[in-house]
C-alpha cells in the first residue's frame, strides 16, 4: 500500500493505463452467443448451459417446489436480516418515486410529463461459487416500487442444477416474478430478445463477469441497461479524528472483492496515513480472503497525502469513487465539497458494508470513475417519461408564425405546412 | 401508404426486419478514428476535417469574430422566434429540476441523495447542407438549467470553413461555452477523451449520422451518452372528430425527415383511413421534399385499421412511437391508455412540429420503439445523484448482527469484520 503525494496521485488519475478499446476474442464469442440465442432460442440456452455450467437442465424455470425447498434451507437469522434489509431498502427507495406532472399555461396550453413504469425488466444475478442475495433485493425492489408489473431474474445454475437457496429466498422476498437458470452472455441475449420461454424485457440490470458485461454493451440500444460495472472501489478521507483501525477494516472490505478492486485513503497528515497503512497490513493477515485482498492492496491500494482539505477533495472529485467514506470531524460540511461519488458515508460509524447490505440506499453504484456522470441504481431507472403537449387553437395560431419561421430556416417545409394548414383554415 | 389490419400490423411489429448486429466496415473505420484521435489529438482532428469536410482549418475553435459575423447574418424574425422558443423551453425544463433530499430516521440515522450537475457536457450538432439551430436549444438549455458549468458544442464546418450562422446564434442564445468545428466520429472521440484544445466531457448528447451514432455506442461507458438515435416516427390516432387534412400534413412532416422515417396512422373507421390516405397523397405532391417524403410514405407509411380503442392503443404501445398525436374526441382520457411514447400531442391543434420547435418539451426523443424504456432528453440527463448514509454509533451497533449475518453468508468476511470491529470495540 503505497504512500504517495497528491500531486503524484493526480498524475496517475489523469494518465490512466490504456483502456482496452476492443477485445476481439471476447467480442467474437459474445456476438456468436447472442446470434445463436436469437436464432435457436431455448435450444441454444440448454446447450450453452450444458457447455458452460456443466449441467443438463430439464427446465430453465425455477419451479415452485424448488422455492419451497429453498425456504427450508436458509437460517432464521438470515431470513430476519433479509427482511430488515428489505424494509430499509423499500423505505429509502420509496422516497425516489416520481409523479406525472403538468402545468396549465395561458391561452389553453397544457404541458407536462407522464411517468410510466417499464413493462418488463430483467435482473442478472451472478452465480458460480458465491451467492449474492443482497444484489437480488437491491436490483428487484426499486423495480417493484416503480410499479414494474413483470420482473424476470436469471442466474447460472450450480453444478447440481439448482440455484443457491439464499438467492431464491431473496427473489421471493423481493417479489421477482420468474427465475430462470441461465448465466453468461446467453442470459443477456435471452432477456434482450426473448425465446420461447423467456419473454423479452426492456431493461437489464445487475452485475456479471466479462461475458455478461460485454453482452450488455452489445445489446445496449435494443434494450436499456443499468451500467457496465467495473471493479469495486473505496476512498476514505481521514483526518485526525478518524479511528484508524476502523478505516483499515473498511479499506480491506473493498479489497477482498477482487484483485482489481481499489482501496484509496486520502489524508492530510502523514502520521495518520502511516497508522492506517500499518493497521491495514496488520488486519490483512487475519482475513480469510487475504490473498485476494493482499493483491488488491499491493497493486491498487494508495495512501494519498494531501496538503489540505481543498487538495483532498480535488483528488476525491477526480477519482469519482464508487464508495466514499468521510471519516472527518465535520462530515456534513465536508460533503458539500464532494461533486463526484456513488455513495457517501459520513463519520466513523457509517462503514461501507452498512450500505452494501442494510441501510437502504442502493449498492449498485457507478464504478471506475463513472460517478462523475452516473447515479446509483434507483426507482428512476425503472420508469420512463412521455412529454405531453396540448395546445388550443388560439394558442397555436398565436405561435404559428414563429414555428414556421424556424421550420423554413431549417428547410423542413412540410413541418411549416403542418402549422400553416391550420392557420390558413381560419381565414 | 398501405391500409392494413391491426392484426397484420401487429405481426409486422412483432417480427421486425433482422437487426444488423454488427457492421464490420463501419466499426473498423470508427474505431480507427477513435484510436487516432486518442493518440494524436488535435493533429488528427485537423487531418480528418481536411479529409472528410474538405476544409483546411487554422483553428478548431469558433472565434468571437465569427460569432459577431453570425449575429449580422440572421433575420430579426428568426431571432425573435428563437428567443420565444428559448423562453418556452426554459420554462418547461425548469419544472424538471431535482433537489437533493434527506430523511432523518430514528436513532441518529440520516439518509438521502445529493444532486450534482455534470461538470462538463458535449453537444453534437449535425452540419452539412442542413442546419439545426432548434437542436442547439433543445440540447443545451436543459444542461444549462441543470447547472452544468461547461457546455462544449461540436459541429462540422461548412466547405467555406465556417459554421452556419443560425447555429452559432442559437449556441450563443443557449449559453454554450465553446463551439468547435469538428464533425463525425472524430468529434465524438475528442469529446469523450479530450485533446490539447478540447477538454474531455462526461456526457455527449445530440443526433448525428451513422458514424456519429456508432462512435457514441463505442465510447458509451467511458462517458455517458443520451441515446443512439434512429429515424424519426410519428403515429397519429384518428377518430371521426379528426381533421383529416391536418392529420395528413402532420404525417408528412415526419416523412420529409428522411426515407427511413415512418408515418403511421391508426383509425377505428376505415372511411377515415381512406380519407387520410387520399389527403396524404394529395398533399405529398405539393411538398418541396416530396421525393424523400414520398419514399418514406411508400415504404413505411401505414394506415392501420383497429376494431376499437382497445386494439388501437395496444398497437400504439407495441409501436412505442417517438411522436404520438391523439386526434380523438377526448385526448386526455385517451392518454391514460398510452404507456409507451416519447411525446404525446393532444387534439387537432397540437401538431408535432409545434413540439419540434416551440412548445417547450424536448424534441430529442426516444426513437425506433425505445420509448418503451427511454425518456425525452431533460434536465435529469445532466445531473447525477450520490447517496448519503450517516449512522450514529447506536444505530450501527443495533444493525451490526444482521449486517454480519448477510456478509458472512455471502462469504465476504472482511465486510463482516468492518462492522464487528466497531461492535467489539465497545465491549
Amino acid at each position: 500500500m503505497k504512500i504517495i503525494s497528491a500531486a503524484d496521485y493526480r498524475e496517475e488519475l489523469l494518465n490512466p493505463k490504456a483502456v482496452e478499446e476492443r477485445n476481439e476474442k471476447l467480442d467474437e464469442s459474445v456476438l456468436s452467443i447472442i446470434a445463436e440465442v436469437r436464432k435457436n432460442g431455448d435450444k441454444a440456452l440448454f446447450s450453452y448451459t450444458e457447455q458452460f455450467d456443466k449441467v443438463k437442465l430439464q427446465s430453465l424455470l425455477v419451479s415452485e417446489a424448488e422455492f419451497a425447498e429453498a425456504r427450508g434451507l436458509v437460517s432464521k437469522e438470515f431470513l430476519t436480516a433479509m427482511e430488515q434489509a428489505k424494509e430499509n431498502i423499500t423505505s429509502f427507495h420509496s422516497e425516489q418515486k416520481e409523479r406525472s406532472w403538468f402545468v396549465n399555461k395561458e391561452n389553453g396550453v397544457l404541458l407536462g410529463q407522464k411517468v410510466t413504469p417499464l413493462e418488463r425488466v430483467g435482473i442478472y444475478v451472478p452465480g458460480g461459487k458465491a451467492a449474492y442475495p443482497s444484489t437480488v433485493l437491491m436490483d428487484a425492489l426499486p423495480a417493484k416500487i416503480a410499479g414494474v408489473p413483470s420482473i424476470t431474474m436469471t442466474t447460472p445454475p450450480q453444478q447440481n442444477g439448482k440455484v443457491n437457496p439464499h438467492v431464491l429466498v431473496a427473489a421471493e422476498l423481493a417479489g421477482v416474478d420468474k427465475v430462470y437458470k441461465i448465466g453468461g452472455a446467453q442470459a443477456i441475449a435471452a432477456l434482450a430478445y426473448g425465446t420461447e420461454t423467456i419473454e423479452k424485457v426492456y431493461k437489464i440490470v445487475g452485475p456479471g463477469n466479462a461475458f455478461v458485461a460485454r453482452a450488455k454493451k452489445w445489446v445496449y440500444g435494443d434494450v436499456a441497461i443499468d451500467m457496465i460495472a467495473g471493479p469495486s472501489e473505496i476512498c476514505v478521507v481521514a483526518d485526525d479524528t478518524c479511528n484508524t483501525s476502523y478505516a483499515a477494516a473498511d479499506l480491506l472490505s473493498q479489497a477482498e472483492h477482487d484483485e482489481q478492486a481499489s482501496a484509496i485513503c486520502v489524508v492530510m497528515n502523514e502520521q495518520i496515513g502511516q497508522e492506517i497503512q500499518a493497521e491495514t497490513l496488520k488486519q490483512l493477515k487475519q482475513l480469510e480472503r487475504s490473498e485476494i485482498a493482499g493483491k488488491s492492496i499491493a497493486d491498487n491500494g494508495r495512501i494519498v497525502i494531501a496538503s489540505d482539505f481543498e487538495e483532498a477533495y480535488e483528488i476525491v472529485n477526480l477519482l469519482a469513487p464508487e464508495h466514499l467514506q468521510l471519516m472527518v470531524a465535520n462530515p456534513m460540511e465536508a460533503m458539500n465539497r464532494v461533486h463526484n461519488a456513488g455513495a457517501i458515508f459520513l463519520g466513523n460509524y457509517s462503514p461501507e458494508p452498512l450500505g452494501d447490505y442494510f441501510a437502504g440506499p442502493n449498492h449498485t453504484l457507478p464504478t471506475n470513475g463513472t460517478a462523475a456522470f452516473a447515479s446509483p441504481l434507483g426507482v428512476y431507472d425503472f420508469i420512463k417519461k412521455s412529454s405531453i403537449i396540448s395546445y388550443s387553437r388560439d394558442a397555436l395560431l398565436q405561435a404559428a408564425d414563429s414555428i414556421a419561421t424556424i421550420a423554413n430556416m431549417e428547410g423542413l417545409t412540410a413541418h411549416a405546412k403542418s402549422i400553416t394548414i391550420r392557420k390558413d383554415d381560419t381565414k
Side-chain angles (χ1 to χ4, degrees), chain A:
Chain A
M1 192 174 215
K2 258 201 296 194
I3 297 190
I4 63 172
S5 72
D8 286 350
Y9 189 59
R10 191 186 295 119
E11 277 309 295
E12 229 180 77
L13 286 174
L14 290 174
N15 301 291
K17 287 171 237 158
V19 181
E20 187 184 31
E21 276 166 38
R22 199 172 180 186
N23 185 327
E24 297 273 1
K25 222 174 144 186
L26 181 60
D27 274 344
E28 203 179 298
S29 73
V30 165
L31 284 166
S32 98
I33 292 169
I34 294 174
E36 181 65 17
V37 171
R38 294 185 74 169
K39 196 173 151 210
N40 290 316
D42 287 348
K43 203 174 139 229
L45 298 179
F46 282 111
S47 147
Y48 284 125
T49 305
E50 200 172 338
Q51 184 184 340
F52 297 129
D53 304 299
K54 315 290 176 209
V55 192
K56 210 176 158 89
L57 294 176
Q58 298 305 311
S59 162
L60 298 167
L61 183 69
V62 173
S63 68
E64 187 36 54
E66 288 174 293
F67 275 106
E69 188 189 3
R71 268 174 243 134
L73 290 171
V74 306
S75 72
K76 198 168 173 316
E77 290 69 36
F78 172 77
L79 196 61
T80 306
M82 289 292 279
E83 276 164 355
Q84 288 172 344
K86 176 186 170 178
E87 197 180 313
N88 290 345
I89 296 166
T90 302
S91 161
F92 181 83
H93 286 82
S94 296
E95 304 280 345
Q96 294 176 338
K97 283 190 79 166
E98 289 175 66
R99 284 194 288 191
S100 301
W101 60 271
F102 66 90
V103 284
N104 272 116
K105 301 258 173 184
E106 71 288 354
N107 219 356
V109 171
L110 181 146
L111 301 172
Q113 285 199 304
K114 179 180 167 163
V115 173
T116 317
L118 305 193
E119 202 183 320
R120 290 190 296 277
V121 305
I123 293 170
Y124 187 87
V125 177
K129 283 169 202 156
Y132 300 107
S134 61
T135 300
V136 179
L137 297 189
M138 291 293 185
D139 289 356
L141 288 173
K144 206 77 193 167
I145 292 162
V148 173
S150 163
I151 304 175
T152 300
M153 184 177 124
T154 70
T155 189
Q158 298 170 323
Q159 284 204 20
N160 62 4
K162 300 200 171 168
V163 173
N164 179 291
H166 297 89
V167 167
L168 285 188
V169 165
E172 196 163 55
L173 196 61
V176 169
D177 295 289
K178 280 177 177 165
V179 179
Y180 293 102
K181 298 175 204 170
I182 322 162
Q186 59 275 24
I188 302 301
L191 290 170
Y193 303 107
T195 69
E196 300 90 321
T197 15
I198 298 175
E199 222 178 349
K200 169 197 170 36
V201 302
Y202 294 110
K203 183 161 193 168
I204 302 173
V205 304
N209 64 14
F211 281 83
V212 169
R214 202 65 182 173
K216 280 170 77 180
K217 179 160 173 128
W218 277 108
V219 303
Y220 165 74
D222 291 340
V223 295
I225 66 172
D226 52 346
M227 64 182 73
I228 297 168
S232 200
E233 313 122 28
I234 188 170
C235 174
V236 175
V237 179
D239 71 7
D240 297 0
T241 67
C242 167
N243 181 316
T244 52
S245 61
Y246 296 179
D250 303 345
L251 290 166
L252 288 167
S253 77
Q254 282 311 291
E256 80 167 336
H257 268 298
D258 63 80
E259 294 172 358
Q260 275 77 49
S262 304
I264 311 294
C265 183
V266 181
V267 296
M268 285 132 296
N269 173 340
E270 188 158 1
Q271 172 67 27
I272 297 286
Q274 281 163 354
E275 274 178 46
I276 292 173
Q277 182 191 42
E279 186 69 26
T280 302
L281 299 176
K282 191 182 108 196
Q283 290 184 27
L284 174 60
K285 291 183 202 135
Q286 304 155 12
L287 293 182
E288 283 181 36
R289 295 164 69 91
S290 62
E291 206 168 316
I292 294 171
K295 180 119 174 62
S296 156
I297 290 289
D299 289 355
N300 311 316
R302 297 283 183 281
I303 307 272
V304 182
I305 315 287
S307 50
D308 53 18
F309 264 121
E310 198 165 329
E311 191 171 48
Y313 291 103
E314 186 211 323
I315 291 292
V316 166
N317 288 321
L318 208 52
L319 177 62
E322 182 189 9
H323 306 100
L324 174 67
Q325 285 186 204
L326 300 178
M327 300 178 80
V328 296
N330 194 338
M332 267 305 219
E333 190 184 272
M335 192 180 67
N336 293 324
R337 298 174 183 256
V338 177
H339 304 304
N340 302 331
I344 310 172
F345 298 79
L346 308 185
N348 272 316
Y349 290 95
S350 307
E352 187 276 327
L354 163 66
D356 275 352
Y357 297 118
F358 199 77
N362 213 286
H363 79 192
T364 302
L365 296 168
T367 57
N368 204 21
T370 60
F373 54 79
S375 301
L377 192 73
V379 174
Y380 36 77
D381 279 292
F382 298 103
I383 55 109
K384 75 289 196 294
K385 293 162 185 160
S386 304
S387 294
I388 306 162
I389 298 172
S390 179
Y391 260 52
S392 66
R393 185 177 170 187
D394 276 3
L396 184 73
L397 298 188
Q398 209 177 314
D401 291 346
S402 293
I403 302 172
T405 297
I406 308 179
N408 284 323
M409 183 272 122
E410 292 193 354
L412 295 172
T413 46
H415 282 62
K417 177 87 190 289
S418 138
I419 303 296
T420 52
I421 194 175
R422 286 160 163 96
K423 195 182 171 199
D424 298 343
D425 220 21
T426 64
K427 275 178 184 163

